[in-house]
Amino acid sequence: MNRTPHPSRALAVLTLCSFTLGTGEIMIAGLLPAIAADVSVPLSTAGLLVSAFALTVVVGGPVLALSTGRAPRRALLTALMGCYVLGNVVSALAPGFGLLAGGRVLAALAHSALMPLFFRTAADLVPPERRGRAVARVSAGFSLAMIAGLPLGTAVGQWLGWRATFWAVAALTAAVTVCVAPLVPRTPEPAAPGRRLTELRVLGDRRVRAVTAVTALSAAAAFTAYTYITPLLTGPAGFSPAAATVLLLLFGIGGTVGSTAGGRLTDRSVTGAIGWTVGALAVALLLLAVTTGAKVPAVAALFLFGAAYYAVIPAVNTRLLDVAAGRARTLALTVQSSAFNLGTALGGWLGGRLLAAGAGLERLPLAGSLIALVALGWALREAAGERRGAVRDRPGERVA
């Protein structure tokens, strides 16, 4: 008999899975100097490993979702986790930059399809009124990766060499696969006539387009500033490198708090939560821009920045689950993951262009705040449309 664990234990396993994937994604930030020296490439070339990972998620996720839509979810998850293990093993063994990049692309391809599976499994484990908190629990794994995974991965790399960090992620992924596999069904998705066409049509839904646009804009807003947060803290803000490291942990702690708060807000009102959290992101970035020269307010703004950004994630993911329910939730969530990564890449690119044009580091949070305001406007327009539609659908009521 196949017994599903209690939802709390199951969600803990899924959180550990997202922590593992999150650590595997972001650990490269602490290893780049050692990698560049070991494989004999400039630091700027080593930095392409980050871009390659993000772009693979953007492109590979939707392709995988369409091509594996009818595969049994348990077999698919196991195969993808195995692919993630293999990608990290290839990177650990790579004698040069080319094979190392290949390993990162392989891991990113698995990552692009795994996170939507984790979110969908979490949503299926709980009643509809608790979906927001369930998705937030899984999202919290990424903020925990920033708090613990990044410094631990960096420490292992400094102690045993950067290759040991890839081996550690591969081993942890193999271990959590044993725990997560029983949470998903063995049976394939029910086949339906025109299934693939139906899946593609969901991407033309105005509500799906709106939430992915808000997602991409929110990520771009955050990463216009966050990509350059360390030089911002050690430069205009005046913190030492050691203090900046501690402050990045504070950002991650804020993310954990924000993810929990965002989940609770989402369970009350999904569209309301999107408006409040995106608005909070715009405010936090504005505060960070105007408090750069004052250390205590800047610390508070950084904490709020982390909380606001991670509060957005459960809100937009739950909204997407709602509007794509019964049609193509996995594909829609995969496109959502692509939107996050596209926004991340665009934010980093925009921040770099602003710096190249002569803008100071303290201007980057301001630019991010303006982008967040655009996302907020889009979210508010969508919420207003939902309210008008709800009024029209009520029998016996007239709309003026």
Side-chain angles (χ1 to χ4, degrees), residues 144-230:
L144 290 173
M146 191 169 292
I147 295 170
L150 177 57
L152 282 175
T154 303
V156 169
Q158 291 173 346
W159 182 34
L160 299 174
W162 63 268
R163 297 177 189 274
T165 305
F166 283 97
W167 283 115
V169 171
L172 182 57
T173 304
V176 298
T177 302
V178 177
C179 301
V180 75
L183 302 182
V184 296
R186 293 178 181 272
T187 54
E189 299 287 349
R195 166 76 182 240
R196 187 161 296 180
L197 182 59
T198 301
E199 289 179 343
L200 288 172
R201 281 175 178 163
V202 77
L203 302 181
D205 188 310
R206 173 190 55 79
R207 298 170 301 171
V208 172
R209 293 199 307 269
V211 72
T212 52
V214 171
T215 299
L217 287 169
S218 298
F223 279 86
T224 297
Y226 187 76
T227 302
Y228 302 94
I229 196 68
T230 298

Coordinates of all heavy atoms in Angstrom, one line a residue, residues 144-230:
L144 N 16.2 29.8 2.5 CA 17.1 29.0 3.4 C 18.4 28.7 2.7 O 19.5 28.7 3.3 CB 16.4 27.7 3.8 CG 15.3 27.9 4.8 CD1 14.6 26.6 5.0 CD2 15.8 28.4 6.1
A145 N 18.4 28.5 1.3 CA 19.6 28.3 0.6 C 20.5 29.5 0.7 O 21.7 29.4 0.7 CB 19.3 27.9 -0.9
M146 N 19.9 30.7 0.6 CA 20.7 31.9 0.7 C 21.3 32.1 2.1 O 22.4 32.5 2.3 CB 19.8 33.1 0.4 CG 20.6 34.4 0.2 SD 19.6 35.7 -0.6 CE 19.3 35.0 -2.2
I147 N 20.5 31.7 3.2 CA 21.0 31.8 4.5 C 22.0 30.8 4.9 O 23.1 31.1 5.5 CB 19.8 31.7 5.5 CG1 18.8 32.8 5.3 CG2 20.3 31.7 7.0 CD1 17.5 32.6 6.1
A148 N 21.8 29.5 4.5 CA 22.7 28.5 4.9 C 23.4 27.8 3.8 O 24.6 27.5 3.9 CB 21.9 27.4 5.7
G149 N 22.8 27.6 2.6 CA 23.4 26.9 1.5 C 24.6 27.6 0.9 O 25.6 27.0 0.7
L150 N 24.4 28.9 0.7 CA 25.5 29.7 0.1 C 26.7 29.7 1.0 O 27.8 29.4 0.5 CB 25.0 31.1 -0.3 CG 26.1 32.0 -0.9 CD1 26.7 31.4 -2.1 CD2 25.5 33.3 -1.2
P151 N 26.6 30.1 2.3 CA 27.8 30.1 3.1 C 28.4 28.8 3.3 O 29.6 28.6 3.4 CB 27.3 30.8 4.4 CG 25.9 30.7 4.4 CD 25.5 30.7 3.0
L152 N 27.6 27.7 3.5 CA 28.1 26.4 3.7 C 28.8 25.9 2.4 O 29.9 25.3 2.5 CB 27.0 25.4 4.0 CG 26.4 25.4 5.5 CD1 25.2 24.5 5.6 CD2 27.5 25.0 6.4
G153 N 28.2 26.1 1.2 CA 28.9 25.7 0.0 C 30.2 26.5 -0.2 O 31.2 25.9 -0.6
T154 N 30.2 27.7 0.2 CA 31.5 28.5 0.0 C 32.5 28.0 1.0 O 33.7 27.8 0.7 CB 31.2 30.0 0.3 OG1 30.2 30.5 -0.6 CG2 32.5 30.8 0.2
A155 N 32.1 27.7 2.2 CA 33.0 27.1 3.3 C 33.6 25.8 2.8 O 34.8 25.6 3.0 CB 32.3 27.0 4.6
V156 N 32.7 24.9 2.3 CA 33.2 23.6 1.8 C 34.2 23.8 0.7 O 35.3 23.1 0.6 CB 32.0 22.7 1.4 CG1 32.5 21.5 0.7 CG2 31.2 22.3 2.6
G157 N 33.9 24.7 -0.2 CA 34.8 25.0 -1.3 C 36.2 25.5 -0.9 O 37.2 25.2 -1.4
Q158 N 36.2 26.4 0.2 CA 37.4 26.9 0.7 C 38.2 25.9 1.4 O 39.4 25.9 1.4 CB 37.1 28.1 1.6 CG 36.6 29.3 0.8 CD 36.1 30.4 1.7 OE1 35.9 30.2 3.0 NE2 35.9 31.6 1.2
W159 N 37.5 25.0 2.1 CA 38.2 24.0 2.9 C 38.7 22.8 2.1 O 39.8 22.3 2.2 CB 37.2 23.5 4.0 CG 37.7 22.5 4.9 CD1 39.0 22.4 5.4 CD2 37.0 21.4 5.5 NE1 39.1 21.3 6.3 CE2 37.9 20.7 6.4 CE3 35.7 21.0 5.5 CZ2 37.5 19.6 7.1 CZ3 35.3 19.8 6.2 CH2 36.2 19.2 7.0
L160 N 37.8 22.3 1.2 CA 38.1 21.0 0.5 C 38.3 21.2 -1.0 O 38.6 20.3 -1.8 CB 37.0 20.0 0.7 CG 36.8 19.5 2.1 CD1 35.6 18.6 2.3 CD2 38.1 18.8 2.7
G161 N 38.1 22.5 -1.5 CA 38.2 22.7 -2.9 C 36.8 22.9 -3.5 O 35.8 22.2 -3.1
W162 N 36.7 23.6 -4.6 CA 35.3 23.9 -5.2 C 34.6 22.7 -5.7 O 33.4 22.6 -5.7 CB 35.4 25.0 -6.3 CG 36.3 24.6 -7.5 CD1 37.6 24.8 -7.7 CD2 35.8 23.9 -8.7 NE1 38.0 24.3 -8.9 CE2 36.9 23.7 -9.5 CE3 34.5 23.4 -9.1 CZ2 36.8 23.1 -10.8 CZ3 34.4 22.7 -10.3 CH2 35.5 22.6 -11.1
R163 N 35.4 21.7 -6.1 CA 34.8 20.5 -6.6 C 34.0 19.7 -5.5 O 33.0 19.1 -5.8 CB 35.9 19.5 -7.2 CG 36.5 20.1 -8.5 CD 37.7 19.2 -9.0 NE 38.4 19.9 -10.0 CZ 38.1 20.0 -11.3 NH1 37.0 19.4 -11.7 NH2 38.9 20.6 -12.1
A164 N 34.5 19.8 -4.3 CA 33.8 19.1 -3.2 C 32.4 19.7 -3.0 O 31.5 18.9 -2.6 CB 34.6 19.3 -1.9
T165 N 32.2 21.0 -3.3 CA 30.9 21.5 -3.1 C 29.9 20.9 -4.1 O 28.7 20.6 -3.8 CB 30.9 23.0 -3.3 OG1 31.9 23.6 -2.4 CG2 29.5 23.7 -3.1
F166 N 30.3 20.7 -5.4 CA 29.5 20.0 -6.4 C 29.2 18.6 -5.9 O 28.1 18.1 -6.1 CB 30.2 20.0 -7.7 CG 30.1 21.4 -8.4 CD1 31.1 22.3 -8.3 CD2 28.9 21.7 -9.1 CE1 31.0 23.5 -9.0 CE2 28.8 22.9 -9.8 CZ 29.9 23.8 -9.7
W167 N 30.2 17.9 -5.4 CA 30.0 16.5 -4.9 C 29.0 16.5 -3.8 O 28.1 15.6 -3.7 CB 31.3 15.9 -4.4 CG 32.2 15.4 -5.5 CD1 33.5 15.9 -5.8 CD2 32.0 14.3 -6.4 NE1 34.0 15.2 -6.8 CE2 33.1 14.2 -7.3 CE3 30.9 13.5 -6.6 CZ2 33.2 13.3 -8.3 CZ3 31.0 12.5 -7.6 CH2 32.1 12.4 -8.4
A168 N 29.0 17.5 -2.9 CA 28.1 17.5 -1.8 C 26.7 17.8 -2.2 O 25.7 17.1 -1.7 CB 28.5 18.7 -0.8
V169 N 26.5 18.6 -3.2 CA 25.1 18.9 -3.7 C 24.6 17.6 -4.4 O 23.4 17.3 -4.3 CB 25.1 20.1 -4.7 CG1 23.8 20.2 -5.4 CG2 25.4 21.4 -3.9
A170 N 25.5 16.9 -5.2 CA 25.1 15.7 -5.8 C 24.6 14.7 -4.8 O 23.6 14.0 -5.0 CB 26.2 15.2 -6.7
A171 N 25.4 14.5 -3.7 CA 25.0 13.5 -2.7 C 23.7 13.9 -2.0 O 22.8 13.0 -1.7 CB 26.2 13.4 -1.7
L172 N 23.5 15.2 -1.7 CA 22.3 15.6 -1.0 C 21.1 15.4 -1.9 O 20.0 15.0 -1.5 CB 22.4 17.1 -0.6 CG 21.2 17.7 0.1 CD1 20.9 16.9 1.4 CD2 21.5 19.2 0.5
T173 N 21.3 15.7 -3.2 CA 20.2 15.5 -4.2 C 19.8 14.0 -4.2 O 18.6 13.7 -4.3 CB 20.6 16.0 -5.6 OG1 21.0 17.3 -5.5 CG2 19.4 15.8 -6.6
A174 N 20.7 13.1 -4.3 CA 20.4 11.7 -4.3 C 19.7 11.3 -3.1 O 18.7 10.5 -3.1 CB 21.7 10.9 -4.5
A175 N 20.1 11.8 -1.9 CA 19.4 11.5 -0.7 C 18.0 12.0 -0.6 O 17.0 11.2 -0.2 CB 20.2 12.0 0.5
V176 N 17.7 13.2 -1.0 CA 16.3 13.7 -0.9 C 15.4 13.1 -2.0 O 14.2 13.1 -1.8 CB 16.3 15.3 -1.1 CG1 17.1 15.9 0.1 CG2 16.8 15.7 -2.4
T177 N 16.0 12.5 -3.1 CA 15.2 11.9 -4.1 C 14.4 10.7 -3.5 O 13.3 10.4 -3.8 CB 16.1 11.4 -5.2 OG1 16.7 12.5 -5.8 CG2 15.2 10.7 -6.3
V178 N 15.1 10.0 -2.6 CA 14.5 8.8 -1.9 C 13.3 9.3 -1.1 O 12.3 8.6 -1.0 CB 15.5 8.1 -1.0 CG1 14.9 6.9 -0.3 CG2 16.7 7.6 -1.9
C179 N 13.4 10.4 -0.5 CA 12.3 10.9 0.4 C 11.2 11.5 -0.4 O 10.0 11.4 0.0 CB 12.9 12.0 1.3 SG 14.2 11.4 2.4
V180 N 11.5 12.2 -1.5 CA 10.4 12.9 -2.3 C 9.6 12.1 -3.2 O 8.5 12.3 -3.5 CB 11.0 14.2 -3.0 CG1 11.8 13.8 -4.2 CG2 9.9 15.2 -3.4
A181 N 10.2 11.0 -3.8 CA 9.6 10.2 -4.8 C 8.2 9.7 -4.3 O 7.3 9.7 -5.1 CB 10.5 9.1 -5.2
P182 N 8.1 9.2 -3.1 CA 6.7 8.7 -2.7 C 5.6 9.7 -2.6 O 4.5 9.4 -2.5 CB 7.0 8.1 -1.3 CG 8.5 7.8 -1.2 CD 9.1 8.9 -2.0
L183 N 6.0 11.0 -2.7 CA 5.0 12.0 -2.5 C 4.2 12.3 -3.8 O 3.1 13.0 -3.8 CB 5.6 13.4 -2.1 CG 6.4 13.3 -0.8 CD1 6.9 14.7 -0.5 CD2 5.6 12.8 0.3
V184 N 4.7 11.8 -5.0 CA 4.0 12.0 -6.2 C 3.4 10.7 -6.8 O 4.0 9.7 -6.5 CB 5.0 12.7 -7.3 CG1 5.5 14.0 -6.8 CG2 6.2 11.8 -7.5
P185 N 2.3 10.8 -7.5 CA 1.7 9.6 -8.0 C 2.5 8.9 -9.1 O 3.3 9.5 -9.8 CB 0.4 10.1 -8.6 CG 0.6 11.6 -8.9 CD 1.6 12.0 -7.9
R186 N 2.3 7.6 -9.1 CA 3.0 6.8 -10.2 C 2.3 6.9 -11.5 O 2.9 6.8 -12.6 CB 2.9 5.3 -9.8 CG 3.8 4.9 -8.6 CD 3.6 3.4 -8.3 NE 4.4 3.0 -7.1 CZ 5.6 2.6 -7.2 NH1 6.3 2.6 -8.3 NH2 6.3 2.2 -6.1
T187 N 1.0 7.1 -11.5 CA 0.2 7.1 -12.7 C 0.4 8.3 -13.6 O 0.7 9.4 -13.1 CB -1.3 7.0 -12.4 OG1 -1.6 8.1 -11.5 CG2 -1.6 5.7 -11.7
P188 N 0.4 8.1 -14.9 CA 0.5 9.3 -15.8 C -0.7 10.2 -15.7 O -1.7 9.9 -15.2 CB 0.7 8.7 -17.2 CG -0.1 7.4 -17.1 CD 0.1 6.9 -15.6
E189 N -0.5 11.4 -16.2 CA -1.6 12.4 -16.4 C -2.6 11.8 -17.3 O -2.3 11.1 -18.3 CB -1.1 13.7 -16.9 CG -0.1 14.4 -16.1 CD -0.6 15.0 -14.8 OE1 -1.9 15.0 -14.7 OE2 0.1 15.4 -14.0
P190 N -3.9 12.0 -17.0 CA -4.9 11.5 -17.9 C -4.8 12.1 -19.3 O -4.7 13.3 -19.4 CB -6.3 11.9 -17.2 CG -5.9 13.0 -16.3 CD -4.5 12.7 -15.9
A191 N -4.8 11.2 -20.3 CA -4.7 11.7 -21.7 C -6.1 12.3 -22.1 O -7.1 11.8 -21.8 CB -4.3 10.6 -22.6
A192 N -6.0 13.4 -22.8 CA -7.2 14.0 -23.3 C -7.0 14.4 -24.8 O -5.9 14.8 -25.2 CB -7.6 15.2 -22.5
P193 N -8.1 14.3 -25.6 CA -8.0 14.7 -27.0 C -7.4 16.2 -27.1 O -8.0 17.1 -26.4 CB -9.4 14.6 -27.6 CG -10.1 13.7 -26.6 CD -9.5 13.9 -25.3
G194 N -6.5 16.4 -28.0 CA -6.0 17.8 -28.1 C -5.3 18.3 -26.9 O -5.2 19.5 -26.7
R195 N -4.7 17.4 -26.1 CA -4.1 17.8 -24.8 C -3.0 18.9 -25.0 O -3.0 19.9 -24.3 CB -3.5 16.6 -24.1 CG -2.6 16.9 -22.9 CD -3.4 17.3 -21.7 NE -2.5 17.6 -20.6 CZ -2.5 17.0 -19.4 NH1 -3.3 16.1 -19.2 NH2 -1.6 17.4 -18.5
R196 N -2.1 18.6 -25.9 CA -1.0 19.5 -26.1 C -1.5 20.9 -26.6 O -1.0 21.9 -26.2 CB 0.0 18.9 -27.1 CG 1.3 19.7 -27.3 CD 2.4 18.9 -27.9 NE 2.7 17.8 -27.0 CZ 3.7 16.9 -27.3 NH1 4.4 17.0 -28.4 NH2 3.9 15.9 -26.4
L197 N -2.5 20.9 -27.5 CA -3.0 22.2 -28.0 C -3.7 22.9 -26.8 O -3.6 24.1 -26.7 CB -4.1 21.9 -29.1 CG -4.7 23.1 -29.7 CD1 -3.6 24.0 -30.3 CD2 -5.7 22.7 -30.8
T198 N -4.4 22.2 -25.9 CA -5.0 22.8 -24.8 C -4.0 23.4 -23.9 O -4.1 24.5 -23.3 CB -5.8 21.7 -24.0 OG1 -6.8 21.2 -24.8 CG2 -6.5 22.3 -22.8
E199 N -2.8 22.7 -23.7 CA -1.8 23.2 -22.8 C -1.2 24.5 -23.4 O -1.0 25.5 -22.7 CB -0.6 22.2 -22.7 CG -1.0 21.0 -21.9 CD 0.1 20.0 -21.8 OE1 1.0 20.1 -22.7 OE2 0.1 19.1 -20.9
L200 N -1.0 24.6 -24.7 CA -0.5 25.8 -25.3 C -1.5 26.9 -25.2 O -1.1 28.1 -25.1 CB -0.1 25.5 -26.8 CG 1.1 24.6 -27.0 CD1 1.2 24.3 -28.5 CD2 2.3 25.3 -26.5
R201 N -2.8 26.6 -25.3 CA -3.8 27.6 -25.3 C -3.8 28.3 -23.9 O -4.2 29.5 -23.8 CB -5.2 27.0 -25.5 CG -5.4 26.8 -27.0 CD -6.8 26.1 -27.2 NE -7.1 25.9 -28.7 CZ -8.0 25.1 -29.1 NH1 -8.7 24.4 -28.3 NH2 -8.2 25.0 -30.4
V202 N -3.4 27.6 -22.8 CA -3.4 28.3 -21.5 C -2.5 29.4 -21.5 O -2.7 30.4 -20.7 CB -3.1 27.2 -20.4 CG1 -1.6 27.0 -20.4 CG2 -3.6 27.7 -19.0
L203 N -1.4 29.4 -22.3 CA -0.5 30.5 -22.3 C -1.0 31.7 -23.0 O -0.5 32.8 -22.8 CB 0.8 30.1 -23.0 CG 1.5 28.8 -22.4 CD1 2.8 28.5 -23.2 CD2 1.8 29.1 -21.0
G204 N -2.1 31.6 -23.7 CA -2.8 32.7 -24.3 C -3.8 33.4 -23.4 O -4.4 34.4 -23.7
D205 N -4.1 32.8 -22.3 CA -5.0 33.3 -21.3 C -4.5 34.6 -20.8 O -3.4 34.7 -20.3 CB -5.2 32.3 -20.1 CG -6.3 32.7 -19.2 OD1 -6.4 33.9 -18.7 OD2 -7.2 31.8 -18.9
R206 N -5.3 35.7 -20.8 CA -4.9 37.0 -20.3 C -4.4 37.0 -18.9 O -3.4 37.6 -18.5 CB -6.1 38.0 -20.4 CG -5.9 39.3 -19.8 CD -7.1 40.1 -19.7 NE -8.2 39.4 -19.0 CZ -8.3 39.3 -17.7 NH1 -7.3 39.9 -16.9 NH2 -9.2 38.7 -17.1
R207 N -5.1 36.2 -18.0 CA -4.7 36.1 -16.6 C -3.3 35.5 -16.4 O -2.5 35.9 -15.6 CB -5.8 35.4 -15.8 CG -7.1 36.0 -15.8 CD -8.2 35.1 -15.2 NE -8.3 33.9 -16.0 CZ -9.0 32.8 -15.6 NH1 -9.7 32.9 -14.4 NH2 -9.0 31.7 -16.3
V208 N -3.0 34.4 -17.3 CA -1.7 33.8 -17.2 C -0.6 34.8 -17.7 O 0.4 34.9 -17.0 CB -1.7 32.5 -18.0 CG1 -0.3 31.9 -18.2 CG2 -2.7 31.5 -17.4
R209 N -0.9 35.5 -18.8 CA 0.1 36.4 -19.3 C 0.3 37.5 -18.2 O 1.4 38.0 -18.0 CB -0.4 37.1 -20.6 CG -0.5 36.1 -21.7 CD -0.5 36.8 -23.1 NE -1.6 37.8 -23.1 CZ -2.8 37.6 -23.5 NH1 -3.2 36.4 -23.9 NH2 -3.7 38.6 -23.6
A210 N -0.8 38.0 -17.6 CA -0.6 39.1 -16.6 C 0.2 38.6 -15.4 O 1.1 39.4 -15.0 CB -2.0 39.5 -16.1
V211 N 0.0 37.5 -14.9 CA 0.8 37.1 -13.7 C 2.2 36.8 -14.0 O 3.1 37.1 -13.2 CB 0.1 35.9 -13.0 CG1 0.3 34.6 -13.7 CG2 0.7 35.7 -11.6
T212 N 2.5 36.2 -15.2 CA 3.9 36.0 -15.6 C 4.6 37.3 -15.9 O 5.8 37.5 -15.6 CB 4.0 35.1 -16.8 OG1 3.1 35.6 -17.9 CG2 3.6 33.7 -16.5
A213 N 3.9 38.3 -16.4 CA 4.5 39.6 -16.6 C 4.8 40.3 -15.3 O 5.9 40.9 -15.1 CB 3.5 40.5 -17.4
V214 N 3.9 40.2 -14.3 CA 4.2 40.8 -13.0 C 5.4 40.0 -12.3 O 6.2 40.6 -11.7 CB 2.9 40.7 -12.1 CG1 3.2 41.0 -10.6 CG2 1.8 41.6 -12.6
T215 N 5.4 38.7 -12.5 CA 6.5 37.9 -12.0 C 7.9 38.4 -12.6 O 8.8 38.6 -11.8 CB 6.3 36.4 -12.3 OG1 5.1 36.0 -11.7 CG2 7.5 35.6 -11.8
A216 N 7.9 38.5 -13.9 CA 9.2 38.9 -14.5 C 9.6 40.3 -14.1 O 10.8 40.6 -13.9 CB 9.0 38.8 -16.1
L217 N 8.6 41.2 -14.1 CA 9.0 42.6 -13.7 C 9.4 42.7 -12.2 O 10.3 43.4 -11.9 CB 7.7 43.5 -13.9 CG 7.4 43.8 -15.3 CD1 6.0 44.5 -15.4 CD2 8.4 44.8 -15.9
S218 N 8.8 41.9 -11.3 CA 9.2 41.9 -9.9 C 10.6 41.4 -9.8 O 11.4 41.9 -9.0 CB 8.2 41.1 -9.1 OG 6.9 41.6 -9.1
A219 N 10.9 40.3 -10.5 CA 12.3 39.7 -10.5 C 13.3 40.7 -11.0 O 14.4 40.9 -10.5 CB 12.4 38.4 -11.2
A220 N 12.9 41.4 -12.1 CA 13.8 42.4 -12.7 C 14.1 43.5 -11.7 O 15.2 44.1 -11.6 CB 13.3 42.9 -14.0
A221 N 13.0 44.0 -11.1 CA 13.1 45.1 -10.1 C 14.1 44.7 -9.0 O 15.0 45.4 -8.6 CB 11.7 45.4 -9.5
A222 N 13.9 43.4 -8.4 CA 14.8 43.0 -7.3 C 16.2 42.8 -7.8 O 17.1 43.3 -7.1 CB 14.2 41.7 -6.8
F223 N 16.5 42.2 -8.9 CA 17.8 41.9 -9.3 C 18.6 43.0 -10.0 O 19.8 43.0 -10.1 CB 17.8 40.6 -10.1 CG 17.8 39.4 -9.3 CD1 16.5 38.9 -8.9 CD2 18.9 38.8 -8.8 CE1 16.4 37.8 -8.1 CE2 18.8 37.7 -8.0 CZ 17.6 37.2 -7.6
T224 N 17.9 44.1 -10.3 CA 18.6 45.3 -10.7 C 19.4 45.8 -9.6 O 20.6 46.3 -9.8 CB 17.6 46.4 -11.2 OG1 16.8 46.0 -12.3 CG2 18.3 47.7 -11.5
A225 N 18.9 45.7 -8.4 CA 19.7 46.1 -7.2 C 20.5 44.9 -6.6 O 21.7 45.1 -6.3 CB 18.7 46.6 -6.1
Y226 N 19.9 43.7 -6.5 CA 20.5 42.6 -5.7 C 21.8 42.1 -6.4 O 22.7 41.7 -5.8 CB 19.5 41.5 -5.5 CG 20.1 40.4 -4.6 CD1 20.2 40.6 -3.2 CD2 20.7 39.2 -5.1 CE1 20.8 39.7 -2.4 CE2 21.2 38.3 -4.3 CZ 21.3 38.6 -2.9 OH 21.9 37.6 -2.1
T227 N 21.8 42.1 -7.7 CA 23.0 41.6 -8.5 C 24.3 42.4 -8.0 O 25.4 41.8 -8.0 CB 22.8 41.8 -10.0 OG1 21.6 41.1 -10.4 CG2 24.0 41.3 -10.7
Y228 N 24.1 43.6 -7.6 CA 25.2 44.5 -7.2 C 25.1 44.9 -5.8 O 25.7 45.9 -5.4 CB 25.3 45.7 -8.1 CG 25.4 45.3 -9.6 CD1 24.2 45.2 -10.4 CD2 26.6 45.1 -10.2 CE1 24.3 44.9 -11.7 CE2 26.7 44.7 -11.5 CZ 25.6 44.6 -12.3 OH 25.6 44.2 -13.6
I229 N 24.5 44.1 -4.9 CA 24.3 44.5 -3.6 C 25.5 44.5 -2.7 O 25.7 45.3 -1.9 CB 23.2 43.5 -2.9 CG1 22.7 44.2 -1.6 CG2 23.7 42.1 -2.7 CD1 21.8 45.4 -1.8
T230 N 26.5 43.5 -3.0 CA 27.7 43.5 -2.3 C 28.6 44.8 -2.5 O 29.0 45.4 -1.5 CB 28.5 42.3 -2.6 OG1 27.8 41.1 -2.2 CG2 29.9 42.3 -1.8

